[in-house]
Amino acid sequence: MSTLAELISELLSQSGADPDLARVTFLEFRDHLTQGKIRAAEKIGDKKDARWTVNPWVKQGILLGFRLGVLQEMPAGLSFVDKDTFPARQFTVADKVRVVPGGSSIREGAYVAPSVICMPPMFINVGAYVDEGTMIDSHALVGSCAQIGKRVHLSAAAQVGGVLEPINAAPVIIEDDVLVGGNCGIYEGTLVRSRAVLGAGTILTRSTPLYDLVRGEVYRATADAPLEVPENAVVVPGSRAVKKEKGPWGWNLSLYTPVVVKYRDEKTDRGIELEDWLR
Ligand SMILES: CC(C)(COP(=O)(O)OP(=O)(O)OC[C@H]1O[C@@H](n2cnc3c(N)ncnc32)[C@H](O)[C@@H]1OP(=O)(O)O)[C@@H](O)C(=O)NCCC(=O)NCCS
């Protein structure tokens, strides 16, 4: 008799597998996972020589679950209290938006295109526009009126500021195919051009100059225009020395600054490739 691992691998490799058998197998797999009987990685060997070993078939099992799954409404048990002018939006299967249960909220007045994925907890505020194929990961915020393009990945805990509080003239705009890494903060009308990549932890505001190591330029917001991240730029959090005239105390401090380290290439694309089956 095949083991669960063999069954999962077989089912994943056959696109025409019997869906009922696949579902029964997946549910058994999921139960085992829930009960801690199987693990995605485990420490194997004697205490001194023990090594973490990955069980790739466990990830395959999870992917199988995504492949088998169909959209269905999932009513959440929580109740909320808020201004009656901005109730939470209600979705149905026809909206083709996946809102995974768990403390997420999307206000009426926010547009969320079909095929967007919202991982809990996340919040999309009024006036925001989130275009097709975009993934809003856990703990991400799409602030009021923020404009998020197609196939953008807003990674875990990425914060996109809104324009309501404080009142800033222009909303943050993130164009198509941008990757916003985990824990990024994009505020005050910053414009991120298409296919740019913001490395984890990058913070962009009207006051952060952006140093471009490739083109030898420094981009800044002006009175009339926000900070703009060029198309395809790969930006990571960096630091720069504090200018001497800012203090004679010899502290040798440095200030945080975002830096364009390169322009997107195949290596970047490989590093940020998304798992299609999760979609
Ligand atoms: C930006 C990122 C995509 C790397 O892109 P890449 O094209 O593979 O970059 P490379 O590895 O070619 O690095 C280019 C340079 O930038 C540096 N660099 C890369 N990522 C960096 C980071 N996050 N912080 C500081 N420096 C970084 C590299 O050291 C290298 O400099 P060096 O040549 O002087 O060593 C990656 O760092 C990142 O932040 N990914 C997002 C992770 C994430 O948040 N995932 C979300 C999951 S929910």
Side-chain angles (χ1 to χ4, degrees):
M1 213 176 98
S2 304
T3 64
L4 192 55
E6 284 162 353
L7 268 177
I8 293 279
S9 298
E10 273 168 38
L11 287 168
L12 202 69
S13 60
Q14 311 159 358
S15 50
D18 172 2
D20 292 336
L21 169 71
R23 205 165 257 269
V24 168
T25 309
F26 171 74
L27 292 179
E28 186 188 348
F29 162 81
R30 198 186 63 189
D31 280 348
H32 279 39
L33 209 52
T34 308
Q35 292 159 22
K37 290 182 180 163
I38 54 177
R39 297 179 59 162
E42 56 195 314
K43 227 170 186 175
I44 290 177
D46 294 337
K47 260 192 181 165
K48 218 172 102 225
D49 301 317
R51 276 174 201 282
W52 279 98
T53 310
V54 176
N55 294 323
W57 73 273
V58 173
K59 184 184 167 193
Q60 288 181 332
I62 294 169
L63 292 176
L64 179 67
F66 278 99
R67 197 167 85 185
L68 293 173
V70 290
L71 294 185
Q72 86 172 18
E73 286 180 37
M74 293 191 181
L78 291 175
S79 63
F80 302 92
V81 176
D82 196 6
K83 305 272 185 181
D84 65 354
T85 40
F86 294 108
R89 274 190 64 176
Q90 302 298 319
F91 284 86
T92 67
V93 172
D95 291 306
K96 295 198 173 76
V97 173
R98 279 169 58 198
V99 185
V100 179
S104 297
S105 180
I106 299 170
R107 271 186 164 162
E108 284 289 352
Y111 173 75
V112 184
S115 76
V116 167
I117 300 178
C118 305
M119 296 303 293
M122 60 93 232
F123 180 55
I124 303 179
N125 209 346
V126 56
Y129 186 104
V130 182
D131 214 337
E132 287 166 21
T134 282
M135 156 83 109
I136 318 275
D137 229 318
S138 300
H139 288 279
L141 162 72
V142 181
S144 51
C145 300
Q147 303 295 298
I148 314 290
K150 291 186 171 55
R151 298 170 302 277
V152 169
H153 185 174
L154 268 194
S155 302
Q159 308 290 298
V160 177
V163 292
L164 294 183
E165 219 174 0
I167 296 199
N168 296 306
V172 171
I173 299 169
I174 299 182
E175 293 185 347
D176 295 348
D177 300 296
V178 166
L179 173 105
V180 180
N183 274 301
C184 282
I186 307 160
Y187 305 108
E188 297 184 313
T190 298
L191 168 56
V192 183
R193 291 280 180 207
S194 62
R195 291 180 50 79
V197 174
L198 306 182
T202 301
I203 308 283
L204 302 169
T205 72
R206 291 188 70 84
S207 314
T208 39
L210 171 59
Y211 286 73
D212 188 332
L213 288 180
V214 181
R215 297 176 179 166
E217 289 181 48
V218 183
Y219 311 114
R220 292 175 192 271
T222 64
D224 316 311
L227 177 66
E228 196 172 315
V229 176
E231 214 173 289
N232 287 308
V234 176
V235 184
V236 301
S239 61
R240 63 188 163 94
V242 173
K243 289 187 194 121
K244 280 247 166 51
E245 62 268 26
K246 288 227 168 128
W249 297 281
W251 284 339
N252 292 325
L253 294 182
S254 52
L255 290 175
Y256 159 77
T257 194
V259 179
V260 177
V261 279
K262 64 192 277 191
Y263 280 74
R264 193 161 163 166
D265 59 18
E266 280 176 8
K267 179 171 179 296
T268 320
D269 289 345
R270 273 200 308 278
I272 62 176
E273 206 176 351
L274 296 174
E275 179 56 75
D276 271 350
W277 278 340
L278 293 177
R279 315 234 122 202

